[in-house]
mmCIF file of all heavy atoms in Angstrom:
data_model
loop_
_atom_site.group_PDB
_atom_site.id
_atom_site.type_symbol
_atom_site.label_atom_id
_atom_site.label_comp_id
_atom_site.label_asym_id
_atom_site.label_seq_id
_atom_site.Cartn_x
_atom_site.Cartn_y
_atom_site.Cartn_z
ATOM 1 N N HIS A 492 56.628 26.059 78.567
ATOM 2 C CA HIS A 492 55.473 25.333 79.101
ATOM 3 C C HIS A 492 54.675 24.734 77.940
ATOM 4 O O HIS A 492 54.068 25.467 77.154
ATOM 5 C CB HIS A 492 54.603 26.267 79.927
ATOM 6 C CG HIS A 492 53.531 25.611 80.721
ATOM 7 N ND1 HIS A 492 52.581 26.308 81.430
ATOM 8 C CD2 HIS A 492 53.259 24.290 80.931
ATOM 9 C CE1 HIS A 492 51.781 25.474 82.039
ATOM 10 N NE2 HIS A 492 52.154 24.225 81.736
ATOM 11 N N PHE A 493 54.681 23.405 77.842
ATOM 12 C CA PHE A 493 53.960 22.704 76.803
ATOM 13 C C PHE A 493 52.758 21.976 77.407
ATOM 14 O O PHE A 493 52.740 21.653 78.582
ATOM 15 C CB PHE A 493 54.859 21.657 76.129
ATOM 16 C CG PHE A 493 56.093 22.220 75.475
ATOM 17 C CD1 PHE A 493 57.280 22.305 76.170
ATOM 18 C CD2 PHE A 493 56.053 22.681 74.171
ATOM 19 C CE1 PHE A 493 58.435 22.824 75.580
ATOM 20 C CE2 PHE A 493 57.180 23.202 73.553
ATOM 21 C CZ PHE A 493 58.385 23.282 74.270
ATOM 22 N N GLY A 494 51.744 21.718 76.586
ATOM 23 C CA GLY A 494 50.610 20.946 77.076
ATOM 24 C C GLY A 494 49.355 21.195 76.291
ATOM 25 O O GLY A 494 49.332 21.912 75.293
ATOM 26 N N ASP A 495 48.280 20.554 76.762
ATOM 27 C CA ASP A 495 46.957 20.737 76.147
ATOM 28 C C ASP A 495 46.224 21.825 76.938
ATOM 29 O O ASP A 495 46.852 22.758 77.444
ATOM 30 C CB ASP A 495 46.179 19.416 76.117
ATOM 31 C CG ASP A 495 45.842 18.878 77.500
ATOM 32 O OD1 ASP A 495 46.290 19.462 78.517
ATOM 33 O OD2 ASP A 495 45.119 17.870 77.574
ATOM 34 N N SER A 496 44.930 21.735 77.054
ATOM 35 C CA SER A 496 44.151 22.798 77.708
ATOM 36 C C SER A 496 44.451 22.947 79.192
ATOM 37 O O SER A 496 44.141 23.994 79.784
ATOM 38 C CB SER A 496 42.652 22.559 77.499
ATOM 39 O OG SER A 496 42.304 21.231 77.814
ATOM 40 N N PHE A 497 45.077 21.946 79.829
ATOM 41 C CA PHE A 497 45.451 22.074 81.219
ATOM 42 C C PHE A 497 46.717 22.911 81.413
ATOM 43 O O PHE A 497 47.154 23.151 82.533
ATOM 44 C CB PHE A 497 45.613 20.702 81.864
ATOM 45 C CG PHE A 497 44.290 20.039 82.196
ATOM 46 C CD1 PHE A 497 43.641 19.272 81.236
ATOM 47 C CD2 PHE A 497 43.698 20.214 83.435
ATOM 48 C CE1 PHE A 497 42.414 18.671 81.527
ATOM 49 C CE2 PHE A 497 42.465 19.628 83.721
ATOM 50 C CZ PHE A 497 41.826 18.843 82.763
ATOM 51 N N ALA A 498 47.288 23.374 80.301
ATOM 52 C CA ALA A 498 48.408 24.323 80.353
ATOM 53 C C ALA A 498 47.964 25.710 79.924
ATOM 54 O O ALA A 498 48.806 26.600 79.742
ATOM 55 C CB ALA A 498 49.547 23.833 79.451
ATOM 56 N N VAL A 499 46.648 25.915 79.784
ATOM 57 C CA VAL A 499 46.134 27.150 79.185
ATOM 58 C C VAL A 499 45.076 27.775 80.098
ATOM 59 O O VAL A 499 44.211 27.077 80.637
ATOM 60 C CB VAL A 499 45.494 26.860 77.809
ATOM 61 C CG1 VAL A 499 44.909 28.131 77.207
ATOM 62 C CG2 VAL A 499 46.543 26.275 76.858
ATOM 63 N N VAL A 500 45.153 29.090 80.280
ATOM 64 C CA VAL A 500 44.063 29.871 80.850
ATOM 65 C C VAL A 500 43.892 31.127 79.991
ATOM 66 O O VAL A 500 44.784 31.510 79.253
ATOM 67 C CB VAL A 500 44.315 30.276 82.332
ATOM 68 C CG1 VAL A 500 44.311 29.063 83.235
ATOM 69 C CG2 VAL A 500 45.630 31.043 82.469
ATOM 70 N N ASN A 505 48.828 32.715 84.037
ATOM 71 C CA ASN A 505 48.968 31.250 84.065
ATOM 72 C C ASN A 505 49.846 30.804 85.232
ATOM 73 O O ASN A 505 50.831 31.454 85.556
ATOM 74 C CB ASN A 505 49.581 30.794 82.739
ATOM 75 C CG ASN A 505 49.496 29.304 82.523
ATOM 76 O OD1 ASN A 505 50.081 28.533 83.266
ATOM 77 N ND2 ASN A 505 48.804 28.892 81.473
ATOM 78 N N PHE A 506 49.472 29.657 85.838
ATOM 79 C CA PHE A 506 50.289 29.118 86.934
ATOM 80 C C PHE A 506 51.730 28.906 86.487
ATOM 81 O O PHE A 506 52.668 29.062 87.275
ATOM 82 C CB PHE A 506 49.685 27.827 87.479
ATOM 83 C CG PHE A 506 49.754 26.638 86.559
ATOM 84 C CD1 PHE A 506 50.832 25.765 86.610
ATOM 85 C CD2 PHE A 506 48.740 26.374 85.649
ATOM 86 C CE1 PHE A 506 50.901 24.663 85.783
ATOM 87 C CE2 PHE A 506 48.800 25.272 84.817
ATOM 88 C CZ PHE A 506 49.888 24.415 84.869
ATOM 89 N N ASN A 520 54.746 30.123 76.796
ATOM 90 C CA ASN A 520 53.658 29.155 76.832
ATOM 91 C C ASN A 520 53.394 28.601 75.437
ATOM 92 O O ASN A 520 53.116 29.344 74.493
ATOM 93 C CB ASN A 520 52.360 29.781 77.384
ATOM 94 C CG ASN A 520 51.258 28.756 77.579
ATOM 95 O OD1 ASN A 520 50.663 28.276 76.622
ATOM 96 N ND2 ASN A 520 51.014 28.408 78.822
ATOM 97 N N LYS A 521 53.465 27.274 75.320
ATOM 98 C CA LYS A 521 53.199 26.568 74.068
ATOM 99 C C LYS A 521 52.006 25.628 74.218
ATOM 100 O O LYS A 521 51.861 24.702 73.439
ATOM 101 C CB LYS A 521 54.445 25.787 73.639
ATOM 102 C CG LYS A 521 55.658 26.662 73.292
ATOM 103 C CD LYS A 521 55.420 27.463 72.022
ATOM 104 C CE LYS A 521 56.630 28.288 71.652
ATOM 105 N NZ LYS A 521 56.399 29.042 70.383
ATOM 106 N N GLY A 522 51.152 25.905 75.205
ATOM 107 C CA GLY A 522 49.963 25.072 75.397
ATOM 108 C C GLY A 522 48.905 25.377 74.335
ATOM 109 O O GLY A 522 48.832 26.475 73.795
ATOM 110 N N GLU A 523 48.078 24.377 74.087
ATOM 111 C CA GLU A 523 46.997 24.534 73.095
ATOM 112 C C GLU A 523 45.858 23.596 73.458
ATOM 113 O O GLU A 523 46.069 22.401 73.721
ATOM 114 C CB GLU A 523 47.496 24.218 71.693
ATOM 115 C CG GLU A 523 46.458 24.430 70.603
ATOM 116 C CD GLU A 523 46.991 24.158 69.203
ATOM 117 O OE1 GLU A 523 48.218 24.159 69.021
ATOM 118 O OE2 GLU A 523 46.173 23.895 68.305
ATOM 119 N N THR A 524 44.650 24.112 73.444
ATOM 120 C CA THR A 524 43.500 23.287 73.825
ATOM 121 C C THR A 524 43.256 22.180 72.794
ATOM 122 O O THR A 524 43.412 22.383 71.592
ATOM 123 C CB THR A 524 42.222 24.141 73.963
ATOM 124 O OG1 THR A 524 41.963 24.797 72.721
ATOM 125 C CG2 THR A 524 42.405 25.184 75.052
ATOM 126 N N GLY A 525 42.858 21.027 73.290
ATOM 127 C CA GLY A 525 42.387 19.930 72.428
ATOM 128 C C GLY A 525 43.463 19.076 71.809
ATOM 129 O O GLY A 525 43.141 18.068 71.167
ATOM 130 N N ILE A 526 44.732 19.392 72.004
ATOM 131 C CA ILE A 526 45.755 18.623 71.274
ATOM 132 C C ILE A 526 46.098 17.332 72.024
ATOM 133 O O ILE A 526 45.861 17.184 73.217
ATOM 134 C CB ILE A 526 47.021 19.456 71.000
ATOM 135 C CG1 ILE A 526 47.714 19.902 72.270
ATOM 136 C CG2 ILE A 526 46.661 20.655 70.134
ATOM 137 C CD1 ILE A 526 49.038 20.617 72.018
ATOM 138 N N SER A 527 46.726 16.430 71.284
ATOM 139 C CA SER A 527 47.116 15.131 71.809
ATOM 140 C C SER A 527 48.574 15.181 72.273
ATOM 141 O O SER A 527 49.298 16.141 72.014
ATOM 142 C CB SER A 527 46.977 14.060 70.724
ATOM 143 O OG SER A 527 47.923 14.299 69.681
ATOM 144 N N ASN A 528 49.027 14.117 72.920
ATOM 145 C CA ASN A 528 50.423 14.051 73.347
ATOM 146 C C ASN A 528 51.374 14.060 72.154
ATOM 147 O O ASN A 528 52.488 14.573 72.252
ATOM 148 C CB ASN A 528 50.644 12.819 74.223
ATOM 149 C CG ASN A 528 50.019 12.974 75.575
ATOM 150 O OD1 ASN A 528 50.003 14.070 76.147
ATOM 151 N ND2 ASN A 528 49.487 11.892 76.124
ATOM 152 N N GLN A 530 50.930 15.701 69.387
ATOM 153 C CA GLN A 530 51.011 17.113 68.977
ATOM 154 C C GLN A 530 51.841 17.937 69.978
ATOM 155 O O GLN A 530 52.569 18.845 69.573
ATOM 156 C CB GLN A 530 49.622 17.703 68.815
ATOM 157 C CG GLN A 530 48.889 17.147 67.580
ATOM 158 C CD GLN A 530 47.422 17.489 67.586
ATOM 159 O OE1 GLN A 530 46.674 17.109 68.491
ATOM 160 N NE2 GLN A 530 46.970 18.221 66.565
ATOM 161 N N ILE A 531 51.733 17.615 71.260
ATOM 162 C CA ILE A 531 52.601 18.264 72.241
ATOM 163 C C ILE A 531 54.060 17.951 71.918
ATOM 164 O O ILE A 531 54.931 18.831 71.965
ATOM 165 C CB ILE A 531 52.238 17.784 73.661
ATOM 166 C CG1 ILE A 531 50.831 18.304 74.060
ATOM 167 C CG2 ILE A 531 53.285 18.250 74.689
ATOM 168 C CD1 ILE A 531 50.293 17.695 75.346
ATOM 169 N N LYS A 534 55.383 20.099 69.194
ATOM 170 C CA LYS A 534 55.724 21.450 69.654
ATOM 171 C C LYS A 534 57.090 21.464 70.374
ATOM 172 O O LYS A 534 57.860 22.425 70.229
ATOM 173 C CB LYS A 534 54.623 21.978 70.573
ATOM 174 C CG LYS A 534 53.342 22.367 69.830
ATOM 175 C CD LYS A 534 52.264 22.829 70.808
ATOM 176 C CE LYS A 534 51.021 23.322 70.060
ATOM 177 N NZ LYS A 534 51.204 24.646 69.471
ATOM 178 N N MET A 549 58.537 22.384 81.102
ATOM 179 C CA MET A 549 57.451 21.793 81.898
ATOM 180 C C MET A 549 56.342 21.368 80.943
ATOM 181 O O MET A 549 55.910 22.153 80.096
ATOM 182 C CB MET A 549 56.917 22.791 82.928
ATOM 183 C CG MET A 549 55.886 22.183 83.870
ATOM 184 S SD MET A 549 55.477 23.278 85.260
ATOM 185 C CE MET A 549 54.552 24.560 84.419
ATOM 186 N N ILE A 550 55.902 20.125 81.097
ATOM 187 C CA ILE A 550 54.939 19.544 80.151
ATOM 188 C C ILE A 550 53.728 19.025 80.901
ATOM 189 O O ILE A 550 53.831 18.157 81.757
ATOM 190 C CB ILE A 550 55.565 18.382 79.358
ATOM 191 C CG1 ILE A 550 56.905 18.810 78.743
ATOM 192 C CG2 ILE A 550 54.609 17.906 78.264
ATOM 193 C CD1 ILE A 550 57.821 17.640 78.440
ATOM 194 N N ASN A 551 52.564 19.561 80.550
ATOM 195 C CA ASN A 551 51.295 18.992 81.010
ATOM 196 C C ASN A 551 50.799 18.031 79.929
ATOM 197 O O ASN A 551 50.127 18.447 78.987
ATOM 198 C CB ASN A 551 50.253 20.098 81.255
ATOM 199 C CG ASN A 551 50.502 20.861 82.527
ATOM 200 O OD1 ASN A 551 51.228 21.853 82.536
ATOM 201 N ND2 ASN A 551 49.906 20.389 83.630
ATOM 202 N N PHE A 552 51.144 16.761 80.074
ATOM 203 C CA PHE A 552 50.713 15.781 79.083
ATOM 204 C C PHE A 552 49.207 15.573 79.153
ATOM 205 O O PHE A 552 48.572 15.702 80.193
ATOM 206 C CB PHE A 552 51.429 14.437 79.294
ATOM 207 C CG PHE A 552 52.819 14.413 78.773
ATOM 208 C CD1 PHE A 552 53.896 14.238 79.621
ATOM 209 C CD2 PHE A 552 53.076 14.557 77.415
ATOM 210 C CE1 PHE A 552 55.199 14.214 79.148
ATOM 211 C CE2 PHE A 552 54.375 14.521 76.916
ATOM 212 C CZ PHE A 552 55.439 14.354 77.788
ATOM 213 N N SER A 553 48.641 15.225 77.995
ATOM 214 C CA SER A 553 47.211 15.030 77.858
ATOM 215 C C SER A 553 46.827 13.590 78.202
ATOM 216 O O SER A 553 47.647 12.783 78.652
ATOM 217 C CB SER A 553 46.781 15.378 76.427
ATOM 218 O OG SER A 553 45.375 15.377 76.339
ATOM 219 N N PHE A 554 45.577 13.254 77.967
ATOM 220 C CA PHE A 554 45.060 11.900 78.236
ATOM 221 C C PHE A 554 45.745 10.886 77.325
ATOM 222 O O PHE A 554 45.941 11.133 76.142
ATOM 223 C CB PHE A 554 43.551 11.872 77.997
ATOM 224 C CG PHE A 554 42.759 12.735 78.929
ATOM 225 C CD1 PHE A 554 42.436 14.046 78.578
ATOM 226 C CD2 PHE A 554 42.323 12.247 80.158
ATOM 227 C CE1 PHE A 554 41.692 14.846 79.427
ATOM 228 C CE2 PHE A 554 41.577 13.050 81.025
ATOM 229 C CZ PHE A 554 41.266 14.344 80.660
ATOM 230 N N LEU A 555 46.063 9.715 77.883
ATOM 231 C CA LEU A 555 46.735 8.674 77.101
ATOM 232 C C LEU A 555 45.814 8.056 76.060
ATOM 233 O O LEU A 555 46.285 7.467 75.099
ATOM 234 C CB LEU A 555 47.278 7.587 78.038
ATOM 235 C CG LEU A 555 48.345 8.063 79.025
ATOM 236 C CD1 LEU A 555 48.766 6.905 79.920
ATOM 237 C CD2 LEU A 555 49.552 8.639 78.308
ATOM 238 N N ARG A 557 43.975 9.734 74.094
ATOM 239 C CA ARG A 557 43.838 10.703 72.994
ATOM 240 C C ARG A 557 44.921 10.478 71.958
ATOM 241 O O ARG A 557 46.095 10.446 72.290
ATOM 242 C CB ARG A 557 43.907 12.135 73.552
ATOM 243 C CG ARG A 557 43.635 13.224 72.523
ATOM 244 C CD ARG A 557 43.706 14.600 73.157
ATOM 245 N NE ARG A 557 42.631 14.852 74.102
ATOM 246 C CZ ARG A 557 42.420 16.015 74.710
ATOM 247 N NH1 ARG A 557 43.255 17.042 74.472
ATOM 248 N NH2 ARG A 557 41.410 16.169 75.550
ATOM 249 N N SER A 569 43.440 15.695 66.161
ATOM 250 C CA SER A 569 43.394 15.026 67.457
ATOM 251 C C SER A 569 42.073 14.260 67.582
ATOM 252 O O SER A 569 41.035 14.689 67.042
ATOM 253 C CB SER A 569 43.487 16.071 68.580
ATOM 254 O OG SER A 569 43.187 15.492 69.839
ATOM 255 N N ASN A 571 40.355 14.047 70.201
ATOM 256 C CA ASN A 571 39.661 14.517 71.396
ATOM 257 C C ASN A 571 38.170 14.722 71.206
ATOM 258 O O ASN A 571 37.401 14.627 72.161
ATOM 259 C CB ASN A 571 40.285 15.811 71.922
ATOM 260 C CG ASN A 571 40.056 17.009 71.021
ATOM 261 O OD1 ASN A 571 40.341 16.941 69.817
ATOM 262 N ND2 ASN A 571 39.544 18.091 71.563
ATOM 263 N N ASP A 576 37.585 11.445 76.548
ATOM 264 C CA ASP A 576 38.869 11.216 77.195
ATOM 265 C C ASP A 576 38.737 10.468 78.500
ATOM 266 O O ASP A 576 39.628 9.698 78.875
ATOM 267 C CB ASP A 576 39.564 12.561 77.459
ATOM 268 C CG ASP A 576 40.058 13.223 76.186
ATOM 269 O OD1 ASP A 576 40.627 12.522 75.338
ATOM 270 O OD2 ASP A 576 39.852 14.444 76.057
ATOM 271 N N ILE A 632 53.892 16.342 83.915
ATOM 272 C CA ILE A 632 52.699 16.002 84.658
ATOM 273 C C ILE A 632 51.747 15.267 83.719
ATOM 274 O O ILE A 632 51.534 15.699 82.583
ATOM 275 C CB ILE A 632 51.967 17.274 85.179
ATOM 276 C CG1 ILE A 632 52.927 18.184 85.935
ATOM 277 C CG2 ILE A 632 50.740 16.896 86.014
ATOM 278 C CD1 ILE A 632 53.518 19.292 85.090
ATOM 279 N N PHE A 633 51.187 14.186 84.161
ATOM 280 C CA PHE A 633 50.095 13.536 83.430
ATOM 281 C C PHE A 633 48.763 13.931 84.050
ATOM 282 O O PHE A 633 48.648 13.994 85.290
ATOM 283 C CB PHE A 633 50.234 12.013 83.467
ATOM 284 C CG PHE A 633 51.259 11.470 82.536
ATOM 285 C CD1 PHE A 633 52.534 11.149 82.986
ATOM 286 C CD2 PHE A 633 50.971 11.301 81.180
ATOM 287 C CE1 PHE A 633 53.496 10.680 82.115
ATOM 288 C CE2 PHE A 633 51.930 10.810 80.306
ATOM 289 C CZ PHE A 633 53.201 10.498 80.780
ATOM 290 N N ILE A 634 47.770 14.188 83.214
ATOM 291 C CA ILE A 634 46.436 14.431 83.740
ATOM 292 C C ILE A 634 46.012 13.247 84.613
ATOM 293 O O ILE A 634 45.585 13.396 85.747
ATOM 294 C CB ILE A 634 45.413 14.663 82.613
ATOM 295 C CG1 ILE A 634 45.734 15.941 81.852
ATOM 296 C CG2 ILE A 634 43.985 14.718 83.195
ATOM 297 C CD1 ILE A 634 44.817 16.187 80.677
ATOM 298 N N TYR A 665 46.367 14.102 88.790
ATOM 299 C CA TYR A 665 46.203 15.549 88.669
ATOM 300 C C TYR A 665 44.729 15.926 88.464
ATOM 301 O O TYR A 665 44.220 16.888 89.083
ATOM 302 C CB TYR A 665 47.035 16.068 87.499
ATOM 303 C CG TYR A 665 47.111 17.573 87.385
ATOM 304 C CD1 TYR A 665 47.471 18.365 88.478
ATOM 305 C CD2 TYR A 665 46.821 18.233 86.182
ATOM 306 C CE1 TYR A 665 47.554 19.751 88.378
ATOM 307 C CE2 TYR A 665 46.900 19.612 86.075
ATOM 308 C CZ TYR A 665 47.268 20.360 87.184
ATOM 309 O OH TYR A 665 47.332 21.726 87.071
ATOM 310 N N TYR A 666 44.033 15.166 87.646
ATOM 311 C CA TYR A 666 42.624 15.441 87.306
ATOM 312 C C TYR A 666 41.774 15.398 88.583
ATOM 313 O O TYR A 666 41.035 16.340 88.890
ATOM 314 C CB TYR A 666 42.146 14.422 86.271
ATOM 315 C CG TYR A 666 40.793 14.700 85.693
ATOM 316 C CD1 TYR A 666 40.662 15.426 84.511
ATOM 317 C CD2 TYR A 666 39.633 14.210 86.280
ATOM 318 C CE1 TYR A 666 39.423 15.667 83.944
ATOM 319 C CE2 TYR A 666 38.390 14.449 85.728
ATOM 320 C CZ TYR A 666 38.293 15.182 84.561
ATOM 321 O OH TYR A 666 37.061 15.423 83.991
ATOM 322 N N ILE A 680 39.079 28.178 81.204
ATOM 323 C CA ILE A 680 39.303 26.913 80.510
ATOM 324 C C ILE A 680 38.832 25.793 81.444
ATOM 325 O O ILE A 680 37.647 25.707 81.729
ATOM 326 C CB ILE A 680 40.749 26.748 80.009
ATOM 327 C CG1 ILE A 680 41.198 27.977 79.218
ATOM 328 C CG2 ILE A 680 40.856 25.492 79.125
ATOM 329 C CD1 ILE A 680 40.442 28.252 77.940
ATOM 330 N N HIS A 681 39.730 24.975 82.001
ATOM 331 C CA HIS A 681 39.298 23.917 82.918
ATOM 332 C C HIS A 681 39.291 24.384 84.371
ATOM 333 O O HIS A 681 38.607 23.789 85.216
ATOM 334 C CB HIS A 681 40.216 22.689 82.793
ATOM 335 C CG HIS A 681 40.039 21.947 81.527
ATOM 336 N ND1 HIS A 681 38.836 21.447 81.109
ATOM 337 C CD2 HIS A 681 40.928 21.636 80.557
ATOM 338 C CE1 HIS A 681 38.971 20.828 79.943
ATOM 339 N NE2 HIS A 681 40.235 20.954 79.574
ATOM 340 N N TYR A 682 40.056 25.394 84.669
ATOM 341 C CA TYR A 682 40.315 25.727 86.077
ATOM 342 C C TYR A 682 39.240 26.626 86.680
ATOM 343 O O TYR A 682 38.520 27.321 85.970
ATOM 344 C CB TYR A 682 41.681 26.414 86.184
ATOM 345 C CG TYR A 682 42.843 25.495 85.838
ATOM 346 C CD1 TYR A 682 43.510 25.647 84.625
ATOM 347 C CD2 TYR A 682 43.246 24.508 86.710
ATOM 348 C CE1 TYR A 682 44.565 24.799 84.295
ATOM 349 C CE2 TYR A 682 44.299 23.675 86.408
ATOM 350 C CZ TYR A 682 44.966 23.814 85.202
ATOM 351 O OH TYR A 682 46.023 22.981 84.879
#
Side-chain angles (χ1 to χ4, degrees):
H492 190 186
F493 300 93
D495 65 354
S496 49
F497 283 87
V499 178
V500 293
N505 192 297
F506 70 91
N520 187 287
K521 296 291 182 179
E523 183 179 340
T524 59
I526 63 174
S527 66
N528 288 324
Q530 289 168 299
I531 293 170
K534 287 177 176 284
M549 186 170 71
I550 309 157
N551 284 89
F552 282 116
S553 188
F554 296 93
L555 297 178
R557 186 179 293 184
S569 169
N571 69 307
D576 290 316
I632 307 96
F633 283 97
I634 294 176
Y665 188 52
Y666 189 93
I680 308 297
H681 289 303
Y682 294 105

